């Protein structure tokens, strides 16, 4: 789940988007096969010629020092303002070489943030939280979107990732909360004062995400001297292989993707040292993926459920879930979500995502019904007590079972894309801190997942080559 403005190599993986990244992208779901990338673009505005101030001496009647060839036949008819504009444009052109490109890029980022990505300036842009989320997703797609192989990140891209992420994450330095702190005066008097510190979710999660970020970059840097290489799919020519050390392996994948480079190994396969190194890096990346996914899930859980999502829920949880799944959830006293998933015979991750959306919708439908019961007046509650108590208990039980089924489904399919509720939360979220943490954890989760998939591709090819040699 490595590009520059329009991707580096063809000229930020998040999230769908602006998501984006990634540039307008949707909130990215991560691909389940190696080599998937976010296909997003980012455009850079040109330097405006109207931003430079006019010099005081530019109104002088003396001839311009700029080397324009005068048209004598029309010079006397040329308005003063026209000559002034011509001189100003020429001076700006002369000064463009001295413009700091990094400063101009920062100006553009700041402008887009203030405008909410609405370049018309009419105030119809998205909120600050969504803008920052899209910016992080876009940056990831720009730098990692075309990075489909195990190799170190180029120094300029690594520097850009660190510089821009530091800038985007700096907003978290000013999201604080006040906590009590004891302070002793010189005379021994104890006072309780209020001290500011980063908000609790940022205080806990942001340092962890920075650490995971550094670990992923370190993993990629570890593939400097490697025994394998890559050939573009469908072009296994001698130009793309190493002389005397290539054996063509037809890799049968579940989903053929012609744009994904194919890993190649020597005729005898990789050395034991290289295989051990790959397994170690795979295990590390897998643990990082789990940690980033856990942080992302916790942030999404803390986000408020948008009213638009609640309004779109069906009136019946059974209608959302389907008769077959509903029957499995209601007919047994001892509910087993694993048993239900086994009986449903889910054939693909697409079916798993559809089921997750239905289960989540039915869960909130039943919860809403249970809450509506308790929101009645006391007289209505007494009057309907005997007739409604069983239905209320049933709604509560079904909601709990749906929640456990959803949890089990996500455990069985850890690479599952974000559900409709998750996407809706990101779209309507207004909390800048949550938006920053969610997008940061999401792109790290995607990068870790891709690294694991790329390593498994190399190990698969290595195993195939060694089996052919036997």
């Amino acid at each position: 789940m490595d590009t520059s403005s329009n991707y580096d190599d063809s000229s930020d993986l998040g999230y769908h988007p602006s998501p984006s990244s990634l540039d307008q992208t949707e909130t990215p779901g991560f691909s389940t096969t190696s080599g998937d990338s976010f296909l997003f673009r980012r455009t850079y505005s040109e330097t405006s010629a109207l931003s430079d101030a006019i010099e005081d001496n530019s109104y002088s009647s003396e001839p311009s020092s700029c080397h324009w060839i005068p048209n004598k036949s029309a010079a006397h008819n040329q308005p003063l303002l026209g000559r002034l504009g011509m001189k100003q444009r020429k001076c700006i052109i002369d000064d463009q070489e001295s413009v700091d490109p990094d400063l101009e890029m920062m100006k553009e980022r700041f402008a887009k943030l203030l405008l909410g990505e609405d370049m018309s300036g009419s105030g119809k842009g998205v909120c600050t939280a969504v803008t920052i989320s899209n910016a992080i997703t876009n940056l990831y797609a720009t730098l990692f979107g075309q990075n489909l192989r195990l190799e170190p990140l180029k120094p300029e891209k690594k520097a850009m990732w660190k510089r821009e992420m530091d800038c985007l994450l700096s907003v978290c330095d000013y999201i604080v909360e006040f906590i009590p702190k004891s302070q002793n005066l010189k005379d021994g008097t104890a006072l309780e004062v209020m001290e500011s510190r980063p908000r609790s979710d940022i205080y806990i999660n942001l340092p962890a995400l920075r650490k995971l970020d550094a670990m992923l970059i370190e993993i990629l840097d570890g593939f400097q001297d490697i025994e394998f290489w890559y050939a573009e799919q469908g072009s296994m020519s001698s130009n793309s292989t190493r002389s005397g050390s290539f054996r063509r392996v037809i890799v049968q994948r579940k989903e053929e993707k012609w744009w994904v480079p194919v890993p190649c190994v020597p005729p005898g396969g990789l050395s034991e040292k290289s295989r051990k190194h790959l397994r170690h890096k795979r295990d590390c990346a897998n643990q990082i993926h789990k940690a980033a996914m856990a942080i992302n899930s916790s942030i999404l859980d803390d986000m408020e459920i948008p009213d638009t999502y609640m309004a779109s829920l069906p009136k019946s949880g059974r209608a959302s879930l389907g008769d077959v799944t509903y029957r499995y959830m209601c007919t047994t006293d001892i509910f087993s979500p694993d048993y239900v998933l086994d009986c449903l015979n889910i054939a693909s991750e697409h079916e798993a995502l559809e089921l997750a959306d239905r289960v989540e919708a039915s869960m909130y439908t039943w919860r809403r019904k249970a809450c509506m019961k308790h929101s009645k007046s006391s007289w209505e509650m007494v009057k309907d007590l005997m007739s409604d108590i069983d239905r209320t208990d049933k709604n509560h039980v079904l909601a709990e079972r749906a929640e456990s089924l959803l949890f089990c489904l996500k455990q069985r399919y850890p690479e599952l894309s974000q559900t409709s509720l998750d996407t809706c939360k990101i779209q309507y979220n207004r909390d800048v801190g949550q938006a920053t943490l969610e997008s940061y954890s999401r792109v790290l989760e995607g990068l870790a997942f891709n690294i694991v998939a790329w390593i498994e591709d190399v190990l698969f090819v290595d195993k195939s080559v060694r089996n052919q040699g036997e």
Side-chain angles (χ1 to χ4, degrees):
M1 317 127 155
D2 153 37
T3 61
S4 62
S5 315
N6 283 338
Y7 300 141
D8 181 65
D9 296 334
S10 28
S11 9
D12 314 280
L13 67 184
Y15 240 174
H16 321 227
S18 108
S20 20
S21 345
L22 124 192
D23 332 43
Q24 270 78 24
T25 128
E26 62 180 352
T27 304
F30 301 111
S31 84
T32 57
T33 57
S34 66
D36 283 351
S37 61
F38 298 102
L39 301 180
F40 307 108
R41 292 186 177 183
R42 165 185 266 167
T43 57
Y44 295 95
S45 61
E46 297 178 356
T47 305
S48 173
L50 302 177
S51 59
D52 290 1
I54 300 176
E55 299 176 356
D56 293 337
N57 59 4
S58 62
Y59 288 90
S60 172
S61 60
E62 297 178 2
S64 170
S65 59
C66 303
H67 303 291
W68 293 98
I69 301 176
N71 187 342
K72 295 183 178 180
S73 62
H76 296 289
N77 299 327
Q78 187 78 353
L80 176 61
L81 184 59
R83 296 197 299 272
L84 173 63
M86 183 179 296
K87 177 180 179 180
Q88 182 182 358
R89 288 194 297 270
K90 179 61 171 65
C91 293
I92 291 175
I93 294 175
D94 292 339
D95 292 341
Q96 280 182 344
E97 295 181 358
S98 62
V99 174
D100 184 356
D102 292 337
L103 178 60
E104 291 302 309
M105 184 178 296
M106 295 303 297
K107 287 181 180 179
E108 180 186 355
R109 298 287 191 275
F110 183 65
K112 287 184 176 181
L113 179 62
L114 293 180
L115 293 171
E117 300 179 351
D118 177 21
M119 299 300 107
S120 69
S122 59
K124 298 179 181 179
V126 297
C127 67
T128 304
V130 176
T131 304
I132 292 180
S133 177
N134 290 343
I136 293 177
T137 310
N138 292 341
L139 179 61
Y140 171 78
T142 299
L143 300 180
F144 295 95
Q146 290 280 32
N147 187 34
L148 308 179
R149 57 189 69 192
L150 296 170
E151 61 184 7
L153 197 63
K154 295 180 180 179
E156 60 272 16
K157 289 188 175 183
K158 189 187 300 185
M160 181 179 179
W161 171 255
K162 185 178 185 307
R163 180 180 65 250
E164 295 207 20
M165 281 305 301
D166 286 344
C167 180
L168 292 171
L169 295 176
S170 64
V171 67
C172 294
D173 296 338
Y174 302 93
I175 302 176
V176 299
E177 61 184 3
F178 292 94
I179 58 173
K181 178 183 179 182
S182 297
Q183 183 176 2
N184 296 323
L185 300 180
K186 294 181 178 180
D187 60 359
T189 304
L191 294 178
E192 188 176 78
V193 296
M194 300 302 293
E195 181 184 53
S196 65
R197 74 166 191 183
R199 202 174 65 187
S200 57
D201 56 341
I202 297 175
Y203 183 77
I204 295 173
N205 293 314
L206 186 56
L209 290 174
R210 285 186 178 275
K211 179 64 175 178
L212 297 179
D213 186 350
M215 292 171 66
L216 288 173
I217 299 299
E218 183 181 358
I219 289 177
L220 290 177
D221 289 341
F223 292 100
Q224 186 71 45
D225 299 321
I226 53 179
E227 298 178 4
F228 58 90
W229 66 101
Y230 289 89
E232 298 300 327
Q233 183 103 332
S235 60
M236 300 271 195
S237 63
S238 59
N239 293 333
S240 60
T241 64
R242 296 179 183 178
S243 176
S245 62
F246 175 72
R247 175 178 295 181
R248 180 169 180 170
V249 178
I250 304 300
V251 182
Q252 299 295 337
R253 296 177 176 175
K254 295 181 181 179
E255 259 184 80
E256 290 295 335
K257 298 184 181 296
W258 57 267
W259 63 88
V260 178
V262 178
C264 307
V265 298
L270 300 174
S271 65
E272 184 61 32
K273 179 181 179 180
S274 181
R275 283 195 293 270
K276 184 177 180 180
H277 175 262
L278 284 170
R279 294 191 190 102
H280 173 68
K281 295 301 183 182
R282 179 192 59 187
D283 294 341
C284 291
N286 191 42
Q287 293 300 318
I288 295 173
H289 175 259
K290 291 180 179 180
M293 184 170 60
I295 294 176
N296 185 263
S297 298
S298 67
I299 299 300
L300 285 172
D301 289 342
D302 291 340
M303 287 184 180
E304 295 183 0
I305 300 176
D307 294 337
T308 54
Y309 178 82
M310 297 301 295
S312 66
L313 291 177
K315 295 182 179 180
S316 170
R318 179 174 183 171
S320 173
L321 199 57
D323 291 337
V324 176
T325 308
Y326 180 81
R327 194 181 306 116
Y328 281 121
M329 295 182 63
C330 295
T331 55
T332 56
D333 294 333
I334 302 177
F335 176 71
S336 172
D338 288 310
Y339 173 75
V340 175
L341 291 178
D342 292 337
C343 294
L344 293 177
N345 295 322
I346 302 174
S348 66
E349 292 171 7
H350 179 70
E351 293 182 4
L353 182 59
E354 287 185 345
L355 177 61
D357 283 334
R358 296 200 307 269
V359 171
E360 199 164 44
S362 62
M363 177 181 69
Y364 284 103
T365 298
W366 287 319
R367 284 182 178 177
R368 182 174 60 181
K369 286 186 175 182
C371 292
M372 288 174 63
K373 169 65 192 308
H374 292 289
S375 65
K376 294 181 179 180
S377 66
S378 58
W379 167 248
E380 289 175 327
M381 290 181 63
V382 172
K383 184 175 65 173
D384 297 336
L385 179 61
M386 297 306 297
S387 59
D388 286 354
I389 189 168
D390 291 339
R391 177 171 59 83
T392 302
D393 289 343
K394 186 176 182 180
N395 288 329
H396 178 70
V397 171
L398 287 175
E400 286 188 338
R401 289 185 174 184
E403 184 176 13
S404 62
L405 180 62
L406 181 63
F407 177 79
C408 183
L409 182 63
K410 290 183 177 181
Q411 290 293 317
R412 186 172 292 195
Y413 296 91
E415 70 281 359
L416 203 64
S417 301
Q418 291 172 329
T419 63
S420 298
L421 176 58
D422 294 338
T423 304
C424 192
K425 284 182 175 181
I426 296 172
Q427 179 181 357
Y428 291 95
N429 174 53
R430 295 295 181 268
D431 189 297
V432 176
Q434 289 180 340
T436 304
L437 295 175
E438 189 282 326
S439 56
Y440 193 18
S441 60
R442 171 163 37 88
V443 299
L444 294 182
E445 176 186 343
L447 179 58
F449 176 81
N450 285 341
I451 291 176
V452 172
W454 299 333
I455 293 177
E456 289 180 346
D457 276 355
V458 176
L459 292 175
F460 176 81
V461 172
D462 174 64
K463 183 178 180 180
S464 300
V465 168
R466 288 187 287 109
N467 289 340
Q468 288 182 2
E470 294 178 356

